[in-house]
Amino acid sequence: MPSQLTLISSVTWEHPADRAALRALRALPGFDDVVRRIAGVFGERGVRNLFLGDAVLVGPTQRPALYAIYQDVLQTLDWPNAGRPAPQLYVAQTPIANAGAVGFDQPFIVISSGTLELLDRDEQRFVLAQQLGNIMTGRTTYRTIALIVLFFGMSALPLLASIALLPFQLALLEWYRKSELSADRAGMLGTQDPRASLMTFLKLAGGKQEGDTLDLDAYLAQAAEYEMGGTAWESILKALNTALREHPFHTVRAGELHRWQQSGAYGTILGGDYIRRGSEAERPFRDDMRDASDYYKEMAKEATDAVGGVINRAADAFRDAFKAAASMGDAGPSASPPPPPSEPPAPEQPPGS
């Protein structure tokens, strides 16, 4: 059984890009208004009805094996029990492998039956620790807002009619993706099994073993090739491909988590050197931006190496990319030829057209 990380603070596992993206998201004009509107319309009970559906509450007699794993995770991450009951855990019947932590005042965890069928016990532990980590950061309100926006779509929420939708949606999803990197670290700390943690992403990306061989080393090499390879134009295409996704690609998450483990930070925490609850100090915004910038530089992501403005400039960057591609497609035979590009030319039509 993993060792207990007594009084561990969620700041310990928060990814710097997560903190920076959330700060920038909160700074968006109208953001607080959006949160209030959506939370006011749906409310705690409405969110439960929206996300639970026909899900089954896990307990000592209902899926007791899964319940036992969850109790271990609560103990490992030292769930703060000062008058706060542990978040409820539900299983929802769906073949799609997924899990989430949602809610406003009383967040809860939902894990799909497809996830349980796909993953072994240690990998299930990783997923449960991810979601508990999300709750312990205290940001499930923002995650729930993001899921509601994804579920209904921005245009289907008339209460947001006065909001500039595209920048808000891009900023919200950018933060949501970065928050998953924090959750992954919590997952590894909760299971304390790096191989099981990384194998989770391999299975989520490629399915069960089914009597064949799954090669984790080959998968990590694939992740490195995706992240580090390609031209500057390909980096832009990668950014466009993920702009409206709620999760980073599994290969990206596996590679990032593996680097965090290899950096020694994971082992340092297991050795007892981590931030404890009650001792957190407010970090200056510039520190978050510096750390996040370092993260992107280390990843050599040319499309996002200036993370300081990634949220505020996201909408303009994507619009400019599409406008440039569209104008190239609209240019007639008499148009002046563009200067020779340093990278392979963009396609004549926008990606996805």
Side-chain angles (χ1 to χ4, degrees):
M1 177 179 172
S3 59
Q4 185 179 43
L5 299 171
T6 305
L7 292 177
I8 189 170
S9 168
S10 64
V11 175
T12 302
W13 62 71
E14 286 175 6
H15 195 287
D18 173 6
R19 287 195 297 265
L22 182 60
R23 283 180 181 264
L25 176 62
R26 287 169 169 164
L28 276 179
F31 173 71
D32 290 338
D33 186 36
V34 170
V35 172
R36 283 194 299 269
R37 290 191 200 184
I38 295 180
V41 168
F42 288 89
E44 189 73 35
R45 185 175 296 275
V47 168
R48 286 182 176 270
N49 291 336
L50 178 63
F51 287 101
L52 289 183
D54 293 328
V56 173
L57 176 63
V58 175
T61 61
Q62 188 73 270
R63 289 189 176 268
L66 183 63
Y67 179 78
I69 295 173
Y70 183 45
Q71 297 309 301
D72 287 347
V73 168
L74 289 166
Q75 182 175 346
T76 300
L77 294 182
D78 196 18
W79 167 255
N81 57 7
R84 297 176 57 191
Q88 291 181 326
L89 172 63
Y90 292 83
V91 174
Q93 166 60 25
T94 171
I96 300 174
N98 205 352
V102 293
F104 296 132
D105 298 323
Q106 297 178 316
F108 55 94
I109 298 171
V110 181
I111 188 170
S112 72
S113 59
T115 301
L116 301 180
E117 294 169 4
L118 176 66
L119 305 178
D120 66 26
R121 296 297 187 191
D122 289 333
E123 294 155 0
Q124 292 171 19
R125 184 192 303 271
F126 172 75
V127 172
L128 294 176
Q130 282 178 311
Q131 303 313 319
L132 184 62
N134 278 327
I135 292 175
M136 289 176 65
T137 62
R139 298 172 187 164
T140 50
T141 290
Y142 303 136
R143 295 183 63 83
T144 303
I145 297 297
L147 290 171
I148 289 174
V149 167
L150 287 165
F151 188 85
F152 287 101
M154 299 290 284
S155 60
L157 294 172
L159 67 161
L160 304 182
S162 63
I163 305 297
L165 297 184
L166 181 59
F168 177 83
Q169 187 175 15
L170 290 173
L172 184 63
L173 291 176
E174 170 69 9
W175 167 73
Y176 194 97
R177 289 191 298 272
K178 296 303 179 286
S179 73
E180 295 289 4
L181 302 180
S182 295
D184 296 343
R185 294 179 175 187
M188 184 175 282
L189 292 171
T191 194
Q192 295 178 20
D193 186 336
R195 180 173 179 81
S197 301
L198 298 171
M199 280 295 294
T200 300
F201 295 115
L202 172 52
K203 289 185 178 180
L204 288 171
K208 298 174 68 173
Q209 189 166 342
E210 300 290 2
D212 210 337
T213 299
L214 295 179
D215 188 337
L216 180 58
D217 291 336
Y219 183 63
L220 293 175
Q222 174 188 333
E225 179 182 358
Y226 174 81
E227 292 180 310
M228 310 301 274
T231 64
W233 173 246
E234 287 174 325
S235 296
I236 294 174
L237 292 178
K238 291 176 185 178
L240 293 172
N241 286 338
T242 59
L244 296 178
R245 287 177 57 93
E246 69 272 27
H247 294 91
F249 288 126
H250 296 306
T251 50
V252 173
R253 296 174 70 173
E256 173 61 24
L257 188 59
H258 185 241
R259 277 187 298 277
W260 182 66
Q261 177 212 351
Q262 295 295 105
S263 73
Y266 165 75
T268 297
I269 295 171
L270 291 191
D273 185 6
Y274 54 82
I275 301 173
R276 284 159 171 79
R277 292 194 289 271
S279 66
E280 305 95 337
E282 280 294 323
R283 288 168 51 90
F285 184 43
R286 62 179 179 273
D287 290 350
D288 286 341
M289 302 309 285
R290 182 199 62 224
D291 290 349
S293 181
D294 289 345
Y295 157 71
Y296 282 109
K297 287 177 181 177
E298 290 168 5
M299 295 290 297
K301 291 183 176 177
E302 297 175 5
T304 50
D305 60 350
V307 71
V310 67
I311 300 299
N312 293 329
R313 294 193 296 240
D316 290 338
F318 294 133
R319 278 198 297 267
D320 290 345
F322 280 115
K323 285 179 180 177
S327 64
M328 291 176 67
D330 293 337
S334 60
S336 299
S342 58
E343 300 290 344
E348 294 187 354
Q349 294 295 329
S353 61

